[in-house]
Coordinates of all heavy atoms in Angstrom, one line a residue:
M498 N -20.2 -8.0 11.3 CA -19.7 -9.2 12.1 C -19.8 -10.4 11.2 O -20.7 -10.5 10.4 CB -20.5 -9.4 13.3 CG -20.3 -8.3 14.4 SD -18.7 -8.2 14.9 CE -18.9 -8.4 16.7
L499 N -18.9 -11.3 11.4 CA -18.9 -12.6 10.7 C -19.1 -13.7 11.7 O -18.4 -13.7 12.7 CB -17.6 -12.8 9.9 CG -17.4 -14.2 9.3 CD1 -18.3 -14.5 8.1 CD2 -16.0 -14.5 8.9
F500 N -20.1 -14.6 11.5 CA -20.3 -15.7 12.4 C -19.8 -17.0 11.6 O -20.3 -17.3 10.6 CB -21.7 -15.9 12.7 CG -22.0 -16.9 13.8 CD1 -21.6 -16.7 15.1 CD2 -22.5 -18.1 13.5 CE1 -21.8 -17.6 16.1 CE2 -22.7 -19.1 14.4 CZ -22.4 -18.9 15.7
R501 N -18.8 -17.6 12.2 CA -18.2 -18.8 11.6 C -17.7 -19.8 12.6 O -17.0 -19.4 13.6 CB -17.0 -18.3 10.7 CG -16.3 -19.5 10.0 CD -15.1 -18.9 9.1 NE -14.4 -20.0 8.5 CZ -13.2 -20.5 9.0 NH1 -12.7 -19.9 10.1 NH2 -12.6 -21.4 8.4
S502 N -18.0 -21.0 12.5 CA -17.6 -22.1 13.4 C -17.9 -21.8 14.8 O -17.1 -22.0 15.7 CB -16.1 -22.3 13.2 OG -15.7 -22.7 11.9
G503 N -19.1 -21.2 15.0 CA -19.5 -21.0 16.4 C -18.9 -19.7 17.0 O -19.1 -19.5 18.2
R504 N -18.2 -18.9 16.3 CA -17.5 -17.7 16.8 C -17.9 -16.5 16.0 O -18.2 -16.6 14.8 CB -16.0 -17.9 16.8 CG -15.5 -18.9 17.7 CD -14.0 -19.0 17.7 NE -13.4 -17.7 18.0 CZ -12.1 -17.4 17.6 NH1 -11.4 -18.3 17.0 NH2 -11.6 -16.3 17.9
T505 N -18.0 -15.4 16.7 CA -18.2 -14.1 16.0 C -16.9 -13.4 15.8 O -16.1 -13.3 16.7 CB -19.2 -13.3 16.8 OG1 -20.4 -14.0 17.0 CG2 -19.5 -12.0 16.1
H506 N -16.7 -12.9 14.6 CA -15.5 -12.2 14.3 C -15.8 -10.7 13.8 O -16.7 -10.6 12.9 CB -14.7 -12.9 13.2 CG -14.5 -14.3 13.4 ND1 -13.4 -14.8 14.2 CD2 -15.2 -15.4 13.0 CE1 -13.5 -16.1 14.2 NE2 -14.5 -16.5 13.5
P507 N -15.2 -9.7 14.4 CA -15.4 -8.4 13.8 C -14.9 -8.2 12.4 O -14.0 -8.9 12.0 CB -14.7 -7.4 14.8 CG -13.7 -8.3 15.5 CD -14.2 -9.7 15.5
V508 N -15.5 -7.3 11.6 CA -15.1 -7.1 10.3 C -14.6 -5.6 10.2 O -15.3 -4.7 10.5 CB -16.2 -7.3 9.3 CG1 -15.8 -7.0 7.8 CG2 -16.7 -8.8 9.4
V509 N -13.4 -5.5 9.7 CA -12.8 -4.1 9.5 C -12.1 -4.1 8.1 O -11.7 -5.2 7.6 CB -11.8 -3.7 10.6 CG1 -12.5 -3.6 11.9 CG2 -10.6 -4.7 10.6
T510 N -11.8 -2.9 7.6 CA -11.0 -2.8 6.4 C -9.5 -2.7 6.8 O -9.2 -2.2 7.9 CB -11.4 -1.6 5.5 OG1 -11.1 -0.4 6.3 CG2 -12.8 -1.7 5.1
L511 N -8.7 -3.1 5.9 CA -7.2 -3.0 6.1 C -6.8 -1.6 6.2 O -6.0 -1.2 7.1 CB -6.4 -3.7 5.0 CG -4.9 -3.7 5.2 CD1 -4.5 -4.4 6.5 CD2 -4.3 -4.5 4.0
R512 N -7.4 -0.7 5.4 CA -7.1 0.7 5.5 C -7.4 1.3 6.9 O -6.7 2.2 7.4 CB -7.9 1.5 4.4 CG -7.3 1.4 3.1 CD -8.0 2.3 2.1 NE -7.4 2.1 0.8 CZ -8.0 2.6 -0.3 NH1 -9.1 3.2 -0.2 NH2 -7.4 2.4 -1.4
S513 N -8.5 0.9 7.5 CA -8.9 1.4 8.8 C -7.9 1.0 9.9 O -7.6 1.7 10.8 CB -10.3 1.0 9.2 OG -10.4 -0.4 9.5
I514 N -7.3 -0.2 9.7 CA -6.3 -0.6 10.7 C -5.0 0.1 10.5 O -4.3 0.6 11.4 CB -6.0 -2.1 10.6 CG1 -7.3 -2.9 11.0 CG2 -4.9 -2.6 11.5 CD1 -7.1 -4.4 10.8
L515 N -4.6 0.3 9.2 CA -3.3 0.9 8.9 C -3.4 2.4 9.0 O -2.3 3.1 9.1 CB -2.9 0.5 7.5 CG -2.6 -0.9 7.2 CD1 -2.2 -1.2 5.8 CD2 -1.5 -1.4 8.2
G516 N -4.6 3.0 9.0 CA -4.7 4.5 9.1 C -5.1 5.0 7.7 O -4.3 5.0 6.8
N517 N -6.4 5.4 7.6 CA -6.9 5.8 6.3 C -6.4 7.1 5.8 O -6.3 7.3 4.6 CB -8.5 5.9 6.5 CG -9.2 6.0 5.2 OD1 -8.6 6.3 4.1 ND2 -10.5 5.8 5.2
N518 N -6.0 8.0 6.6 CA -5.5 9.3 6.2 C -6.4 10.1 5.2 O -5.9 10.7 4.3 CB -4.1 9.2 5.6 CG -3.1 8.7 6.6 OD1 -3.2 8.9 7.8 ND2 -2.1 7.9 6.1
G519 N -7.7 9.9 5.4 CA -8.7 10.7 4.6 C -8.9 10.1 3.2 O -9.6 10.7 2.4
V520 N -8.3 9.0 2.8 CA -8.4 8.5 1.5 C -9.8 7.7 1.5 O -10.0 6.9 2.3 CB -7.3 7.5 1.1 CG1 -7.5 6.9 -0.2 CG2 -6.0 8.3 1.2
E521 N -10.6 8.0 0.5 CA -11.8 7.3 0.3 C -11.6 5.8 0.0 O -10.8 5.5 -0.9 CB -12.7 8.0 -0.8 CG -14.1 7.4 -0.8 CD -15.0 8.2 -1.8 OE1 -14.8 9.4 -1.8 OE2 -15.8 7.6 -2.4
E522 N -12.3 5.0 0.6 CA -12.2 3.5 0.4 C -13.0 3.1 -0.8 O -14.1 3.5 -1.0 CB -12.6 2.7 1.6 CG -11.7 3.0 2.8 CD -11.9 2.1 4.0 OE1 -12.3 0.9 3.7 OE2 -11.6 2.4 5.1
G523 N -12.4 2.1 -1.5 CA -13.1 1.5 -2.6 C -13.9 0.3 -2.1 O -13.9 0.0 -0.9
P524 N -14.6 -0.3 -3.0 CA -15.5 -1.5 -2.5 C -14.6 -2.6 -2.1 O -13.6 -2.9 -2.7 CB -16.3 -1.8 -3.8 CG -15.4 -1.3 -4.9 CD -14.7 -0.1 -4.4
C525 N -15.0 -3.2 -1.0 CA -14.2 -4.4 -0.4 C -15.1 -5.6 -0.6 O -16.1 -5.8 0.0 CB -13.9 -4.2 1.0 SG -12.8 -2.8 1.3
E526 N -14.6 -6.4 -1.6 CA -15.4 -7.6 -1.9 C -14.8 -8.9 -1.4 O -15.4 -10.0 -1.6 CB -15.5 -7.7 -3.4 CG -16.3 -6.5 -4.0 CD -16.4 -6.6 -5.5 OE1 -16.0 -7.6 -6.1 OE2 -16.9 -5.6 -6.1
H527 N -13.6 -8.8 -0.8 CA -12.9 -10.0 -0.3 C -12.5 -9.8 1.1 O -12.5 -8.7 1.6 CB -11.7 -10.3 -1.1 CG -11.9 -10.3 -2.6 ND1 -12.4 -11.5 -3.2 CD2 -11.8 -9.4 -3.6 CE1 -12.5 -11.2 -4.5 NE2 -12.1 -10.0 -4.8
G528 N -12.2 -10.9 1.8 CA -11.8 -10.8 3.2 C -10.8 -11.9 3.5 O -10.8 -13.0 2.9
V529 N -10.0 -11.6 4.5 CA -9.0 -12.5 5.1 C -9.2 -12.6 6.6 O -9.2 -11.6 7.3 CB -7.6 -12.0 4.7 CG1 -6.5 -13.0 5.3 CG2 -7.3 -11.9 3.3
L530 N -9.4 -13.8 7.0 CA -9.6 -14.0 8.5 C -8.3 -14.2 9.1 O -7.5 -15.1 8.9 CB -10.5 -15.2 8.7 CG -10.9 -15.5 10.2 CD1 -11.6 -14.3 10.8 CD2 -11.6 -16.8 10.3
L531 N -7.9 -13.2 10.0 CA -6.7 -13.2 10.7 C -6.9 -13.7 12.1 O -7.8 -13.2 12.8 CB -6.0 -11.8 10.8 CG -5.8 -11.1 9.5 CD1 -5.2 -9.7 9.7 CD2 -4.8 -11.9 8.6
E532 N -6.1 -14.7 12.6 CA -6.3 -15.2 13.9 C -4.9 -15.4 14.5 O -3.9 -15.8 13.9 CB -6.9 -16.6 13.9 CG -8.4 -16.6 13.4 CD -9.0 -17.9 13.3 OE1 -8.5 -18.8 12.6 OE2 -9.9 -18.1 14.1
H533 N -4.8 -15.0 15.8 CA -3.5 -15.2 16.6 C -3.9 -15.2 18.0 O -4.5 -14.2 18.6 CB -2.6 -14.0 16.2 CG -1.3 -14.1 17.0 ND1 -0.3 -15.0 16.7 CD2 -0.8 -13.3 18.0 CE1 0.7 -14.9 17.5 NE2 0.4 -13.8 18.3
Q534 N -3.5 -16.2 18.7 CA -3.6 -16.4 20.2 C -5.1 -16.0 20.6 O -5.3 -15.1 21.4 CB -2.6 -15.5 20.9 CG -1.2 -16.0 20.7 CD -0.2 -15.2 21.5 OE1 -0.5 -14.1 22.0 NE2 1.0 -15.7 21.6
H535 N -6.1 -16.7 20.1 CA -7.5 -16.5 20.5 C -8.1 -15.2 20.1 O -9.1 -14.8 20.6 CB -7.7 -16.8 22.0 CG -7.1 -18.1 22.4 ND1 -7.6 -19.3 22.0 CD2 -6.0 -18.4 23.2 CE1 -6.9 -20.3 22.5 NE2 -5.9 -19.8 23.2
R536 N -7.4 -14.4 19.3 CA -7.9 -13.1 18.8 C -8.2 -13.3 17.3 O -7.4 -14.0 16.6 CB -7.0 -12.0 19.0 CG -6.7 -11.7 20.5 CD -5.8 -10.5 20.6 NE -4.5 -11.0 20.2 CZ -3.3 -10.4 20.4 NH1 -3.4 -9.3 21.1 NH2 -2.2 -10.8 20.0
S537 N -9.2 -12.7 16.8 CA -9.5 -12.8 15.4 C -10.2 -11.6 14.8 O -10.9 -10.9 15.6 CB -10.3 -14.1 15.1 OG -11.6 -13.9 15.6
V538 N -10.0 -11.3 13.6 CA -10.7 -10.3 12.9 C -10.8 -10.6 11.4 O -9.8 -11.2 10.9 CB -10.1 -8.9 13.1 CG1 -8.7 -8.8 12.5 CG2 -10.9 -7.7 12.6
L539 N -11.9 -10.3 10.7 CA -12.0 -10.5 9.3 C -11.6 -9.1 8.7 O -12.2 -8.1 8.9 CB -13.4 -10.9 8.9 CG -13.5 -11.0 7.3 CD1 -12.9 -12.3 6.9 CD2 -14.9 -11.0 6.9
V540 N -10.5 -9.1 7.9 CA -10.0 -7.9 7.3 C -10.6 -7.9 5.8 O -10.3 -8.8 5.0 CB -8.5 -7.8 7.3 CG1 -8.0 -6.6 6.6 CG2 -8.0 -7.9 8.7
A541 N -11.4 -6.9 5.6 CA -12.0 -6.7 4.2 C -11.0 -6.0 3.4 O -10.4 -5.0 3.8 CB -13.3 -5.9 4.3
V542 N -10.7 -6.5 2.2 CA -9.7 -5.9 1.2 C -10.4 -5.8 -0.1 O -11.4 -6.4 -0.5 CB -8.5 -6.8 1.1 CG1 -7.7 -6.9 2.5 CG2 -8.8 -8.2 0.7
E543 N -9.8 -4.9 -0.9 CA -10.3 -4.6 -2.3 C -10.1 -5.8 -3.2 O -10.9 -6.0 -4.1 CB -9.7 -3.3 -2.8 CG -10.2 -2.1 -2.1 CD -9.5 -0.9 -2.5 OE1 -8.8 -0.9 -3.6 OE2 -9.6 0.1 -1.8
S544 N -8.9 -6.5 -3.1 CA -8.6 -7.6 -4.0 C -7.6 -8.5 -3.3 O -6.9 -8.2 -2.4 CB -8.0 -7.1 -5.3 OG -6.8 -6.5 -5.1
L545 N -7.6 -9.8 -3.8 CA -6.7 -10.8 -3.4 C -5.8 -11.1 -4.6 O -6.3 -11.3 -5.7 CB -7.4 -12.0 -2.8 CG -8.2 -11.8 -1.6 CD1 -9.0 -13.1 -1.3 CD2 -7.3 -11.5 -0.4
N546 N -4.5 -11.3 -4.4 CA -3.6 -11.6 -5.5 C -3.1 -12.9 -5.4 O -2.0 -13.2 -6.0 CB -2.5 -10.5 -5.6 CG -3.0 -9.1 -5.9 OD1 -3.9 -9.0 -6.7 ND2 -2.5 -8.1 -5.2
G547 N -3.7 -13.9 -4.8 CA -3.3 -15.2 -4.8 C -2.6 -15.6 -3.5 O -2.5 -14.8 -2.5
Y548 N -2.2 -16.9 -3.4 CA -1.5 -17.4 -2.3 C -0.3 -18.1 -2.7 O -0.3 -18.8 -3.8 CB -2.5 -18.5 -1.6 CG -1.8 -19.3 -0.5 CD1 -1.8 -18.8 0.8 CD2 -1.3 -20.5 -0.8 CE1 -1.2 -19.6 1.8 CE2 -0.7 -21.3 0.2 CZ -0.7 -20.8 1.5 OH -0.1 -21.5 2.4
R549 N 0.8 -18.0 -2.0 CA 2.0 -18.7 -2.4 C 2.9 -18.8 -1.1 O 2.8 -18.0 -0.2 CB 2.8 -18.0 -3.5 CG 3.3 -16.6 -3.1 CD 4.0 -15.9 -4.3 NE 2.9 -15.5 -5.2 CZ 3.1 -15.0 -6.4 NH1 4.3 -14.9 -6.8 NH2 2.1 -14.6 -7.2
K550 N 3.8 -19.8 -1.2 CA 4.8 -19.9 -0.1 C 5.9 -18.9 -0.5 O 6.2 -18.7 -1.6 CB 5.3 -21.3 0.0 CG 4.3 -22.3 0.5 CD 4.9 -23.7 0.6 CE 3.8 -24.6 1.0 NZ 4.3 -26.0 1.2
M551 N 6.5 -18.3 0.6 CA 7.6 -17.4 0.3 C 8.6 -17.4 1.5 O 8.3 -17.8 2.5 CB 7.1 -16.0 0.1 CG 6.3 -15.4 1.2 SD 5.6 -13.8 0.8 CE 4.2 -14.2 -0.1
V552 N 9.8 -16.9 1.2 CA 10.8 -16.8 2.2 C 10.8 -15.3 2.7 O 10.9 -14.4 1.9 CB 12.2 -17.1 1.6 CG1 13.3 -16.9 2.7 CG2 12.2 -18.6 1.2
L553 N 10.6 -15.1 4.0 CA 10.6 -13.8 4.6 C 11.9 -13.3 4.9 O 12.7 -14.0 5.6 CB 9.7 -13.9 5.8 CG 9.5 -12.6 6.6 CD1 8.7 -11.6 5.8 CD2 8.8 -12.8 7.9
K554 N 12.2 -12.1 4.4 CA 13.5 -11.4 4.8 C 13.2 -10.3 5.8 O 12.3 -9.5 5.5 CB 14.2 -10.8 3.5 CG 14.4 -11.8 2.4 CD 15.6 -12.7 2.8 CE 15.9 -13.6 1.6 NZ 17.0 -14.5 1.8
D555 N 13.9 -10.3 6.9 CA 13.7 -9.3 7.9 C 14.2 -7.9 7.4 O 15.1 -7.8 6.6 CB 14.5 -9.6 9.2 CG 13.8 -10.7 9.9 OD1 12.6 -10.9 9.8 OD2 14.6 -11.4 10.7
F556 N 13.6 -6.9 8.0 CA 14.0 -5.5 7.7 C 15.1 -5.1 8.7 O 15.1 -5.7 9.8 CB 12.8 -4.5 8.0 CG 11.9 -4.5 6.9 CD1 10.5 -4.8 7.1 CD2 12.2 -4.0 5.6 CE1 9.6 -4.7 6.1 CE2 11.3 -3.9 4.6 CZ 10.0 -4.3 4.8
N557 N 15.9 -4.2 8.4 CA 16.7 -3.5 9.4 C 15.8 -2.6 10.1 O 15.4 -1.5 9.6 CB 17.9 -2.8 8.7 CG 18.8 -2.1 9.7 OD1 18.4 -1.8 10.8 ND2 20.0 -1.8 9.2
R558 N 15.5 -2.8 11.4 CA 14.5 -2.0 12.1 C 15.0 -0.6 12.4 O 14.3 0.3 12.7 CB 14.2 -2.7 13.5 CG 13.3 -3.9 13.3 CD 12.0 -3.5 12.8 NE 11.2 -4.7 12.4 CZ 10.1 -4.7 11.8 NH1 9.5 -3.5 11.5 NH2 9.4 -5.8 11.5
D559 N 16.3 -0.4 12.3 CA 16.9 1.0 12.4 C 16.5 1.8 11.2 O 16.5 3.1 11.3 CB 18.4 1.0 12.6 CG 18.8 0.3 13.9 OD1 18.0 0.4 14.9 OD2 19.9 -0.3 14.0
M560 N 16.3 1.2 10.0 CA 16.0 1.9 8.8 C 14.5 2.0 8.5 O 14.0 3.0 7.9 CB 16.7 1.3 7.6 CG 18.2 1.3 7.7 SD 19.0 0.5 6.3 CE 18.6 1.7 5.0
V561 N 13.7 1.0 8.9 CA 12.3 0.9 8.6 C 11.5 1.0 9.9 O 11.7 0.1 10.8 CB 11.9 -0.4 7.9 CG1 10.4 -0.4 7.6 CG2 12.7 -0.4 6.5
R562 N 10.8 2.0 10.1 CA 10.0 2.2 11.4 C 8.5 2.0 11.1 O 7.8 3.0 11.1 CB 10.3 3.5 12.0 CG 11.8 3.7 12.3 CD 12.0 4.9 13.1 NE 13.4 5.2 13.2 CZ 14.3 4.7 14.1 NH1 13.8 3.8 15.0 NH2 15.5 5.0 14.2
C563 N 8.1 0.8 11.0 CA 6.7 0.5 10.8 C 6.4 -0.8 11.5 O 6.9 -1.8 11.2 CB 6.4 0.4 9.3 SG 4.6 0.1 9.0
D564 N 5.5 -0.6 12.5 CA 5.2 -1.8 13.4 C 4.4 -2.9 12.6 O 4.5 -4.0 13.0 CB 4.4 -1.4 14.6 CG 5.2 -0.5 15.5 OD1 6.4 -0.6 15.5 OD2 4.5 0.3 16.2
F565 N 3.7 -2.5 11.6 CA 2.9 -3.5 10.9 C 3.6 -4.4 9.9 O 3.0 -5.3 9.4 CB 1.8 -2.7 10.0 CG 0.9 -1.8 10.9 CD1 0.9 -0.5 10.7 CD2 0.1 -2.4 11.8 CE1 0.1 0.4 11.4 CE2 -0.7 -1.5 12.6 CZ -0.7 -0.2 12.4
L566 N 4.9 -4.1 9.6 CA 5.6 -4.9 8.6 C 6.5 -5.9 9.3 O 7.3 -5.6 10.2 CB 6.5 -4.0 7.7 CG 5.7 -3.0 6.9 CD1 6.7 -2.1 6.1 CD2 4.8 -3.7 5.9
A567 N 6.3 -7.2 8.8 CA 7.1 -8.3 9.3 C 8.4 -8.4 8.5 O 9.4 -8.9 9.0 CB 6.3 -9.6 9.3
G568 N 8.3 -8.0 7.3 CA 9.5 -8.2 6.4 C 9.1 -8.0 4.9 O 8.1 -7.5 4.6
V569 N 9.9 -8.5 4.1 CA 9.7 -8.5 2.6 C 10.0 -9.8 2.0 O 10.8 -10.6 2.6 CB 10.6 -7.4 2.0 CG1 12.1 -7.7 2.1 CG2 10.2 -7.1 0.6
A570 N 9.3 -10.1 1.0 CA 9.5 -11.4 0.3 C 9.8 -11.2 -1.2 O 9.1 -10.3 -1.8 CB 8.3 -12.3 0.5
Q571 N 10.7 -11.9 -1.8 CA 10.9 -11.8 -3.2 C 10.0 -12.7 -3.9 O 10.0 -13.9 -3.6 CB 12.4 -12.1 -3.5 CG 12.7 -11.8 -4.9 CD 14.2 -11.9 -5.2 OE1 15.0 -12.2 -4.3 NE2 14.6 -11.7 -6.4
L572 N 9.3 -12.2 -4.9 CA 8.3 -13.0 -5.6 C 8.8 -13.5 -6.9 O 8.2 -14.4 -7.5 CB 7.0 -12.1 -5.9 CG 6.3 -11.5 -4.8 CD1 5.2 -10.6 -5.2 CD2 5.8 -12.6 -3.8
G573 N 10.0 -13.1 -7.3 CA 10.5 -13.5 -8.6 C 10.4 -12.5 -9.6 O 9.5 -11.6 -9.5
G574 N 11.3 -12.5 -10.6 CA 11.3 -11.5 -11.6 C 11.5 -10.1 -11.1 O 10.9 -9.1 -11.5
S575 N 12.3 -10.0 -10.0 CA 12.7 -8.7 -9.3 C 11.5 -8.0 -8.6 O 11.5 -6.9 -8.3 CB 13.4 -7.7 -10.2 OG 12.5 -7.2 -11.2
R576 N 10.4 -8.8 -8.5 CA 9.2 -8.2 -7.8 C 9.3 -8.6 -6.3 O 9.7 -9.6 -5.9 CB 7.9 -8.8 -8.4 CG 7.7 -8.4 -9.8 CD 6.4 -8.9 -10.3 NE 5.5 -9.5 -9.4 CZ 4.7 -10.5 -9.6 NH1 4.6 -11.0 -10.8 NH2 4.0 -11.1 -8.7
M577 N 8.9 -7.6 -5.5 CA 8.9 -7.8 -4.0 C 7.5 -7.6 -3.4 O 6.7 -6.9 -4.0 CB 9.9 -6.7 -3.4 CG 11.3 -6.7 -4.0 SD 12.1 -8.3 -3.7 CE 12.8 -7.9 -2.1
A578 N 7.3 -8.2 -2.3 CA 6.0 -8.0 -1.6 C 6.3 -7.7 -0.1 O 7.1 -8.3 0.5 CB 5.2 -9.3 -1.7
L579 N 5.6 -6.7 0.4 CA 5.7 -6.4 1.8 C 4.8 -7.4 2.6 O 3.7 -7.7 2.1 CB 5.2 -5.0 2.1 CG 6.0 -3.9 1.5 CD1 5.4 -2.5 1.8 CD2 7.4 -3.9 2.1
V580 N 5.3 -7.9 3.7 CA 4.6 -8.9 4.5 C 4.2 -8.2 5.8 O 5.0 -7.7 6.5 CB 5.5 -10.1 4.7 CG1 4.8 -11.1 5.6 CG2 6.0 -10.7 3.4
L581 N 2.9 -8.3 6.0 CA 2.3 -7.7 7.2 C 2.5 -8.6 8.5 O 2.4 -9.8 8.4 CB 0.8 -7.3 7.0 CG 0.6 -6.4 5.9 CD1 -0.9 -6.2 5.7 CD2 1.2 -5.0 6.1
D582 N 2.6 -7.9 9.6 CA 2.8 -8.6 10.9 C 1.4 -8.8 11.5 O 0.8 -7.9 12.0 CB 3.6 -7.8 11.8 CG 3.9 -8.4 13.1 OD1 3.1 -9.2 13.6 OD2 5.0 -8.0 13.7
V583 N 0.8 -10.0 11.4 CA -0.5 -10.3 11.9 C -0.7 -10.0 13.4 O -1.7 -9.3 13.7 CB -0.9 -11.8 11.5 CG1 -2.2 -12.1 12.2 CG2 -1.0 -11.9 10.0
P584 N 0.1 -10.5 14.3 CA -0.1 -10.1 15.7 C -0.1 -8.6 15.9 O -1.0 -8.2 16.7 CB 1.1 -10.8 16.4 CG 1.5 -11.9 15.5 CD 1.3 -11.4 14.1
E585 N 0.7 -7.9 15.3 CA 0.7 -6.4 15.5 C -0.5 -5.8 14.9 O -1.1 -4.9 15.4 CB 2.0 -5.8 14.8 CG 2.1 -4.3 15.1 CD 2.0 -3.9 16.6 OE1 2.6 -4.6 17.4 OE2 1.4 -2.9 16.9
L586 N -1.0 -6.3 13.7 CA -2.3 -5.8 13.2 C -3.4 -6.0 14.1 O -4.3 -5.1 14.3 CB -2.6 -6.5 11.8 CG -1.8 -6.0 10.6 CD1 -2.1 -6.9 9.4 CD2 -2.1 -4.6 10.3
L587 N -3.5 -7.2 14.8 CA -4.6 -7.5 15.7 C -4.5 -6.6 17.0 O -5.5 -6.1 17.5 CB -4.5 -9.0 16.1 CG -5.0 -9.9 15.0 CD1 -4.8 -11.4 15.4 CD2 -6.4 -9.7 14.6
R588 N -3.2 -6.4 17.4 CA -3.1 -5.5 18.6 C -3.5 -4.1 18.2 O -4.2 -3.4 19.0 CB -1.6 -5.5 19.1 CG -1.2 -6.7 19.9 CD 0.1 -6.5 20.5 NE 1.2 -6.6 19.5 CZ 1.8 -7.7 19.1 NH1 1.4 -8.9 19.6 NH2 2.8 -7.7 18.3
S589 N -3.2 -3.6 17.1 CA -3.6 -2.3 16.6 C -5.1 -2.2 16.5 O -5.7 -1.2 17.0 CB -2.9 -1.9 15.3 OG -3.4 -0.7 14.8
F590 N -5.7 -3.2 16.0 CA -7.2 -3.2 15.9 C -7.8 -3.1 17.3 O -8.7 -2.3 17.5 CB -7.7 -4.5 15.2 CG -9.1 -4.7 15.3 CD1 -10.0 -3.8 14.6 CD2 -9.7 -5.7 16.1 CE1 -11.4 -4.0 14.7 CE2 -11.0 -5.9 16.2 CZ -11.9 -5.0 15.5
E591 N -7.3 -3.9 18.2 CA -7.9 -3.9 19.6 C -7.7 -2.5 20.3 O -8.5 -2.1 21.0 CB -7.3 -5.0 20.4 CG -7.8 -6.4 19.9 CD -7.1 -7.5 20.7 OE1 -6.2 -7.3 21.5 OE2 -7.6 -8.6 20.5
R592 N -6.6 -1.9 20.0 CA -6.3 -0.5 20.6 C -7.3 0.5 20.1 O -7.7 1.4 20.8 CB -4.9 -0.1 20.3 CG -3.8 -0.8 21.2 CD -2.5 -0.1 21.1 NE -1.9 -0.1 19.7 CZ -1.1 -1.0 19.2 NH1 -0.7 -2.0 20.0 NH2 -0.6 -0.9 18.0
R593 N -7.7 0.4 18.8 CA -8.6 1.3 18.2 C -10.1 1.1 18.5 O -10.9 2.0 18.2 CB -8.4 1.3 16.6 CG -7.0 1.8 16.2 CD -6.9 1.7 14.7 NE -5.5 2.0 14.3 CZ -5.2 2.9 13.5 NH1 -6.1 3.6 12.9 NH2 -4.0 3.2 13.2
R594 N -10.4 -0.1 19.0 CA -11.8 -0.4 19.3 C -12.4 0.5 20.4 O -11.9 0.9 21.3 CB -12.0 -1.8 19.7 CG -11.9 -2.7 18.5 CD -12.0 -4.1 18.8 NE -13.3 -4.6 19.1 CZ -13.6 -5.8 19.3 NH1 -12.7 -6.8 19.3 NH2 -14.9 -6.2 19.5

């Protein structure tokens, strides 16, 4: 648990929310506090790759069937990043508790 600003936040790994599938987890030295509509969780991750503003492109939901993905962002140099859906991650975490 993380205690911050007078509130307690549960701590979980991103792999545990997404479904570990038996893969052994590496050390998690970083965390991202996710908050949405009075719900919060600290998601422990293996690494952080920076922060940047980006334009989100929606998926065709008929082709991509993953509730956790909000879309994709182009990072430049033909590199792409998957963007996670924070409200859906929090709902999934609450269902698994």
